[in-house]
Amino acid sequence: ATLDNMLSLLCLALVAGTATANSLVAIDVGSEFMKIGIVKPGVPIDIVLNTETKRKTPMVVYIKGDERLFGDSALTRGMKSPKNAYAYLLDLVGKTVDNPVVLQYKERFPYHTIEADPVHGTVVFRHDENTFFSVEELLAMQLENAVAMATAHGESPVSKIILGVPLFFNQREREAMLNVAEIAGVQVMQLMNTNAAVALQYAVFRNPTMTEKPMIVLFANVGSQFTTATVVSYSLQKDKNSGDKVPTVQVMGAGYDRTLGGMEMDLRLRDHLAKQFKEKYPKLSDITKNQRAMQKLLKEAKKVKTVLSANSETRAQVETLHEDKDFRTAVTRQDLMTLFEDLYPRFAVPFETAINTAGISKMEIEQVVLFGGGTRVPKIQEEILKVTEQKELHKYVNTDEAAALGAAFMAASTSSGFRTKDIKLKDANTFPFNVAFNKLVLNDEGEVAESKRIDKELYYRNNALPQKKAMTYTKFTDNFHFNVSYGDLSFLSTEQLSEFGVLPLMTVNVKGVQDVFNAHHDKTSKGIKAHIMVDESGVLSVDSVEAIFETKVANKTESGIWDSVSNFFGGNNEDVDGKPGEEKKEGAVKEGEKTANKTEEKTTDNTTKPLNETKEAKKEVIPDKPVIVKEILKIESTVFGIPRLLDTSKGKEKLAALKKIDDDKRATEEARNKLESFVISMKDVMQQDVYKSASTPEEMEKIMKALHDETEWMEEESWGETYVVFNARLAAVEDQCETVRSRVKEMEGRSGSVADLKQAFNLTRQFLAKMANTSEELRYHTIVEIDNLENLMNTTQGKLERLINSTGRYGFQFPYAREVLIDLDSVNRKLNRLVRLEKRSYRAEL
């Protein structure tokens, strides 16, 4: 389907509610490009256009001196000064400087100086001797710019955003992206895996027919720096809350290779072109040391690769590439096959992983849908067909925009301000999570005999998101701790594990346990429950830890007594996980022999009593009822690896200072343009006859000198001045020209005003003539009223003639346009009053 058709479909799917007019925005943050989806009440989902009116924006920020550029402008300027252009930053977030991904970045872009953050060890760019930018700050600048573009495009403020991130982002990378948003000053609804966003977009735009039998679709994404494969099912599933069968998009399995993408191909082709240049000009200095030349070759390599996707051969050519030498060479598709020969077999791995994880056979796949720019390469398409054993590939979604549009629909569907198609998304976490603790084994006397190390899988791979689960500890009566870490990652390669970072996530210390148990010594302990959740963003956290006790309270037959007693103890028998949207006790991992679902203990007495038993006797056989009491315990967490940045104030201050510089520059440029435009315009109009006739020679000379002085000042002295100075000088020169400009305006208004007044005289004469031919008894006006009208007309007519005759040599000494308008209004009002009086009297007679 075309983009227009898809948008029309979505317009039907999306109906604005009655909430505020603020826009919701979805930003697909890619390695090379950023796409922005937007939705606002009454307007269908759309893609934001950047300042160059393009639908995707390069993920580049250029900083030099007080100049800061984004997108295509930054990309162009970066060709001349590569070290000032920061690009391909997404893969650096949430990593220490010794991570293999960071080391590879340093090798690919040697002109950047990367240092370790002194606190967290994460990536920091040394911009100059005194300036440093963290990778989060550089991404935050681009996010801030994206929101500004969305605000301008939607003509309304942006209230919240969804950020699209790769499915393989781990906890530290996801937390880093939340830091990026916080530094940029935007509120994040959630992080959304881009593969899930594409799967949702497919459901909305393609509108596949869903039944209880799942339709299996595999989505193939080859991006700039990574490749992913995702198996998704489309079916009708029963909603737990409503009981209705709802169209459901469920992620079943995924695989990835985060170093296999178009960027690796571009760099190899760039190096191939550099080799060709060396062979052609062997006596020149090494071109690979010339970063500007290598940037030019990289740009040409991307162009050549795109052309060879549809053609078997082309020519690469760059003017004045290195030491004033032009470069031209032929490149064939076979050359690419040779250069990328070792890469093609790697494409099979993510797809095999996704299919195996989903637990399906290749025969069950009904469609393979492509997205991502790399899927345009014919050889890559061949590899995907081979590994999936399909006959054809489908291009049902927009390769560039699918993720942004799907995430924008997600933003609308989760907001109260919109009504959307009822489509439910069940995403899945890519990596499993384990909880480890020391299990206490008690002897017959109830004393601790030994401690066993227990490692339980709490969230398995492909667990549905979001979800809350619980660990219940029944033996602890004093302070204890448990560890949260990634689970079995044996499905990852050695290279992927090296990129992953630290596997332990946190140690949680539970404190104050003994004090709580002492305070509730008269109650029965039901254990300590730790609630651990993975939210919509895929971020794991320990929500709370609580001690649970049970006590018995004598039952009463009087209505309301039981409720008041239960409330007094601060709890009821509803499980803490029983909130809407949260997982109940099914699936919770527990210590020892405790089952996932506790059953209330109920005491019954089946003794038969006489029918005439008294009310008092009945009270005696009704058992006591249990009351659950919950006490929140204090927890302290120690985070392993890179802790989330708690204080983003320094980053915010840095961005605010840069934004003020940008705003001041923009205001200064606008003020300069206004002054320059005014001076040029006035120089031109002062040569026109109407301006010459409206000024004396002395005034003309004075104005022209002022305009000439402003021109000289702008050309020679204005550089470095602020918008305040430009605005002040504009006001001064406008004031000098105002007298003549007002005269011209008055003169241009004369002819129309005089014509209108003369028309009023004609109408008045016609009316007076009519009254003169009407007998006095048939008139509806007094003689005095008619005489007053005639006198006013004669007086005004005489005044007009005197004004016209008194105009001086330059035609402006006696400006009378305003006086004429006043007189015209006076005549018209008096004439209209008499005419209306005549009409009212005529209608009354009828």
Side-chain angles (χ1 to χ4, degrees):
T2 64
L3 181 61
D4 291 339
N5 290 337
M6 290 192 293
L7 289 177
S8 64
L9 284 171
L10 192 56
C11 189
L12 295 175
L14 184 65
V15 182
T18 58
T20 64
N22 285 2
S23 301
L24 298 178
V25 167
I27 304 175
D28 175 18
V29 182
S31 299
E32 188 172 8
F33 289 99
M34 168 175 60
K35 283 76 68 175
I36 309 169
I38 186 171
V39 57
K40 58 182 293 189
V43 180
I45 292 174
D46 196 7
I47 292 294
V48 172
L49 303 181
N50 61 22
T51 53
E52 288 81 15
T53 66
K54 295 181 180 179
R55 299 175 71 87
K56 63 180 181 179
T57 302
M59 285 288 294
V60 187
V61 56
Y62 175 89
I63 305 172
K64 187 173 183 180
D66 63 352
E67 184 178 34
R68 191 169 61 141
L69 303 172
F70 297 94
D72 291 292
S73 300
L75 198 62
T76 302
R77 194 65 62 87
M79 296 292 294
K80 298 180 179 179
S81 181
K83 68 177 182 179
N84 295 108
Y86 299 95
Y88 301 101
L89 301 173
L90 182 64
D91 224 20
L92 300 180
V93 297
K95 297 178 183 64
T96 54
V97 293
D98 57 352
N99 189 290
V101 174
V102 179
L103 297 177
Q104 184 186 58
Y105 185 94
K106 294 172 70 174
E107 181 182 346
R108 287 177 170 179
F109 308 105
Y111 42 81
H112 286 311
T113 302
I114 291 180
E115 300 181 8
D117 180 271
V119 177
H120 300 100
T122 49
V123 175
V124 173
F125 289 87
R126 176 184 282 275
H127 182 67
D128 56 37
E129 186 176 351
N130 301 312
T131 310
F132 299 85
F133 294 115
S134 70
V135 64
E136 289 81 9
E137 290 167 348
L138 292 169
L139 282 170
M141 294 178 197
Q142 298 180 67
L143 197 60
E144 184 181 55
N145 181 60
V147 171
M149 289 191 294
T151 300
H153 181 93
E155 299 179 341
S156 63
V158 173
S159 56
K160 298 178 182 178
I161 68 170
I162 284 182
L163 271 182
V165 297
L167 64 91
F168 52 76
F169 261 24
N170 61 30
Q171 292 298 293
R172 299 302 170 241
E173 290 168 313
R174 291 176 186 273
E175 290 171 352
M177 290 305 295
L178 293 174
N179 283 334
V180 167
E182 188 172 345
I183 294 171
V186 295
Q187 184 178 355
V188 176
M189 300 175 69
Q190 70 172 85
L191 302 179
M192 188 173 187
N193 293 334
T194 52
N195 62 320
V198 172
L200 181 61
Q201 192 258 6
Y202 174 88
V204 174
F205 288 104
R206 290 294 302 174
N207 198 25
T209 301
M210 296 192 198
T211 64
E212 293 184 15
K213 180 184 178 181
M215 180 183 78
I216 308 299
V217 178
L218 189 150
F219 290 92
N221 172 27
V222 181
S224 173
Q225 290 194 288
F226 55 81
T227 295
T228 65
T230 310
V231 177
V232 180
S233 71
Y234 295 85
S235 63
L236 293 177
Q237 296 185 18
K238 188 175 181 179
D239 183 77
K240 292 182 180 179
N241 296 323
S242 66
D244 299 331
K245 292 182 179 179
V246 179
T248 303
V249 181
Q250 183 167 358
V251 176
M252 300 177 64
Y256 72 89
D257 187 332
R258 71 185 302 161
T259 61
L260 178 63
M263 182 62 180
E264 175 65 23
M265 297 179 179
D266 295 338
L267 291 171
R268 290 190 181 193
L269 183 52
R270 178 202 67 178
D271 294 343
H272 170 75
L273 296 178
K275 182 181 178 182
Q276 295 289 314
F277 183 86
K278 286 182 178 181
E279 292 176 355
K280 188 174 182 179
Y281 301 104
K283 294 183 179 181
L284 298 182
S285 61
D286 187 359
I287 187 175
T288 61
K289 305 299 182 182
N290 183 341
Q291 295 304 325
R292 289 182 62 176
M294 295 301 286
Q295 283 295 99
K296 291 181 179 181
L297 282 180
L298 179 59
K299 180 180 179 181
E300 186 65 15
K302 293 178 180 180
K303 179 182 175 182
V304 166
K305 189 185 72 173
T306 302
V307 173
L308 290 178
S309 296
N311 301 276
S312 59
E313 62 180 80
T314 187
R315 289 187 66 81
Q317 50 186 10
V318 183
E319 303 295 329
T320 60
L321 174 60
H322 179 56
E323 296 186 7
D324 297 326
K325 296 295 183 181
D326 297 337
F327 175 61
R328 294 178 180 83
T329 187
V331 185
T332 66
R333 187 180 291 178
Q334 184 58 46
D335 291 332
L336 297 190
M337 297 281 288
T338 303
L339 288 171
F340 310 151
E341 185 176 9
D342 62 313
L343 297 179
Y344 293 129
R346 289 173 55 186
F347 283 99
V349 177
F351 293 90
E352 294 284 4
T353 302
I355 294 169
N356 293 336
T357 305
I360 63 169
S361 67
K362 295 178 182 179
M363 294 292 292
E364 294 178 77
I365 301 172
E366 297 188 34
Q367 296 177 0
V368 174
V369 178
L370 304 179
F371 74 99
T375 57
R376 297 187 179 100
V377 178
K379 181 58 179 176
I380 293 177
Q381 294 180 7
E382 290 179 20
E383 294 295 329
I384 295 173
L385 279 173
K386 184 193 303 182
V387 68
T388 58
E389 299 179 4
Q390 298 293 301
K391 293 182 179 180
E392 61 178 335
L393 302 175
H394 300 278
K395 302 174 183 178
Y396 290 145
V397 298
N398 186 296
T399 297
D400 293 322
E401 301 171 4
L405 292 172
F409 180 85
M410 186 68 177
S413 65
T414 55
S415 171
S416 60
F418 300 87
R419 288 185 291 110
T420 64
K421 282 183 176 181
D422 193 7
I423 300 176
K424 188 174 183 179
L425 173 66
K426 289 185 178 179
D427 200 357
N429 64 300
T430 307
F431 308 110
F433 298 109
N434 283 14
V435 173
F437 59 95
N438 293 321
K439 178 182 178 180
L440 303 180
V441 180
L442 307 182
N443 59 23
D444 294 339
E445 287 74 31
E447 300 173 340
V448 177
E450 61 176 311
S451 176
K452 290 184 177 180
R453 186 67 174 172
I454 303 296
D455 198 349
K456 294 282 188 179
E457 186 177 56
L458 183 63
Y459 284 94
Y460 53 85
R461 192 176 169 201
N462 286 337
N463 217 124
L465 299 179
Q467 196 168 148
K468 179 192 282 189
K469 293 190 178 184
M471 292 285 294
T472 301
Y473 305 94
T474 58
K475 302 297 191 296
F476 292 115
T477 58
D478 204 347
N479 296 349
F480 68 100
H481 72 274
F482 59 89
N483 298 318
V484 182
S485 65
Y486 290 104
D488 181 13
L489 299 180
S490 59
F491 60 92
L492 298 180
S493 66
T494 303
E495 182 183 27
Q496 288 174 325
L497 279 173
S498 68
E499 300 161 354
F500 204 83
V502 178
L503 298 186
L505 292 172
M506 68 181 79
T507 293
V508 180
N509 295 290
V510 184
K511 298 189 174 183
V513 178
Q514 190 175 41
D515 293 340
V516 170
F517 270 75
N518 290 338
H520 295 278
H521 63 88
D522 55 340
K523 303 177 183 69
T524 302
S525 171
K526 293 298 181 179
I528 296 174
K529 182 174 286 188
H531 301 279
I532 303 173
M533 69 177 296
V534 179
D535 61 17
E536 296 86 349
S537 298
V539 176
L540 182 141
S541 63
V542 178
D543 188 50
S544 64
V545 178
E546 58 188 5
I548 303 176
F549 302 92
E550 181 181 278
T551 187
K552 299 290 181 68
V553 177
N555 193 18
K556 303 293 182 181
T557 57
E558 288 81 356
S559 175
I561 294 295
W562 167 248
D563 291 336
S564 62
V565 172
S566 177
N567 290 337
F568 173 77
F569 280 97
N572 53 44
N573 277 333
E574 181 185 3
D575 186 83
V576 291
D577 292 331
K579 299 175 183 177
E582 296 178 348
E583 177 172 307
K584 289 182 179 286
K585 293 184 178 179
E586 298 87 64
V589 180
K590 304 187 178 183
E591 178 190 7
E593 299 298 321
K594 292 187 70 63
T595 60
N597 289 306
K598 291 191 297 182
T599 305
E600 293 181 6
E601 295 180 9
K602 297 185 178 179
T603 305
T604 59
D605 190 338
N606 295 324
T607 306
T608 303
K609 298 292 182 181
L611 294 176
N612 61 351
E613 181 184 47
T614 64
K615 185 181 293 185
E616 289 77 10
K618 287 183 179 179
K619 289 183 180 179
E620 294 176 1
V621 299
I622 297 176
D624 294 340
K625 285 196 174 183
V627 174
I628 298 298
V629 179
K630 303 170 185 177
E631 287 281 357
I632 300 295
L633 297 172
K634 181 181 179 181
I635 58 175
E636 293 181 358
S637 299
T638 302
V639 177
F640 296 104
I642 304 170
R644 181 170 179 185
L645 188 62
L646 298 178
D647 184 9
T648 58
S649 59
K650 290 184 178 179
K652 290 179 179 178
E653 290 171 2
K654 194 178 294 185
L655 259 67
L658 290 170
K659 186 176 184 300
K660 186 179 186 309
I661 293 173
D662 291 345
D663 292 343
D664 288 350
K665 281 187 62 180
R666 192 176 298 110
T668 297
E669 193 63 29
E670 290 175 358
R672 170 188 287 276
N673 290 338
K674 286 181 180 179
L675 176 58
E676 186 175 18
S677 297
F678 180 81
V679 170
I680 293 174
S681 174
M682 285 305 299
K683 282 184 176 180
D684 180 57
V685 299
M686 288 301 291
Q687 305 304 316
Q688 299 175 9
D689 291 340
V690 65
Y691 277 84
K692 290 179 179 179
S693 65
S695 60
T696 65
E698 293 77 13
E699 289 174 326
M700 175 69 74
E701 182 180 358
K702 185 177 180 181
I703 290 173
M704 292 305 293
K705 183 179 184 308
L707 296 174
H708 177 74
D709 291 345
E710 287 302 319
T711 300
E712 280 195 346
W713 178 81
M714 282 189 289
E715 291 175 351
E716 299 175 6
E717 303 177 36
S718 66
W719 305 107
E721 295 292 353
T722 67
Y723 63 92
V724 176
V725 175
F726 281 104
N727 288 337
R729 296 186 73 95
L730 175 61
V733 73
E734 282 181 334
D735 186 60
Q736 281 190 291
C737 301
E738 181 57 30
T739 301
V740 174
R741 295 172 72 197
S742 63
R743 290 172 185 168
V744 171
K745 185 177 180 180
E746 187 272 331
M747 291 170 64
E748 290 175 341
R750 285 181 184 178
S751 57
S753 300
V754 170
D756 291 341
L757 188 54
K758 288 182 177 179
Q759 177 66 18
F761 293 158
N762 290 334
L763 293 174
T764 303
R765 292 191 191 95
Q766 293 175 17
F767 178 78
L768 292 175
K770 180 180 178 182
M771 291 299 100
N773 294 326
T774 304
S775 60
E776 188 172 347
E777 59 271 13
L778 296 177
R779 294 177 186 169
Y780 300 104
H781 319 89
T782 65
I783 295 176
V784 173
E785 288 175 325
I786 294 174
D787 289 344
N788 286 341
L789 177 60
E790 186 173 9
N791 291 335
L792 176 61
M793 182 193 70
N794 294 332
T795 302
T796 303
Q797 190 171 8
K799 182 178 180 181
L800 178 61
E801 292 175 355
R802 289 194 301 274
L803 285 172
I804 293 175
N805 294 331
S806 64
T807 300
R809 174 184 174 189
Y810 299 105
F812 57 80
Q813 281 91 336
F814 301 99
Y816 54 77
R818 180 173 177 78
E819 294 185 42
V820 170
L821 291 175
I822 294 173
D823 292 339
L824 172 63
D825 181 64
S826 180
V827 172
N828 280 338
R829 279 191 291 108
K830 189 171 287 291
L831 176 61
N832 287 335
R833 189 182 70 81
L834 295 180
V835 171
R836 283 196 300 271
L837 178 61
E838 181 180 19
K839 288 182 178 179
R840 283 199 301 269
S841 300
Y842 176 73
R843 283 195 296 268
E845 289 180 358
L846 293 177

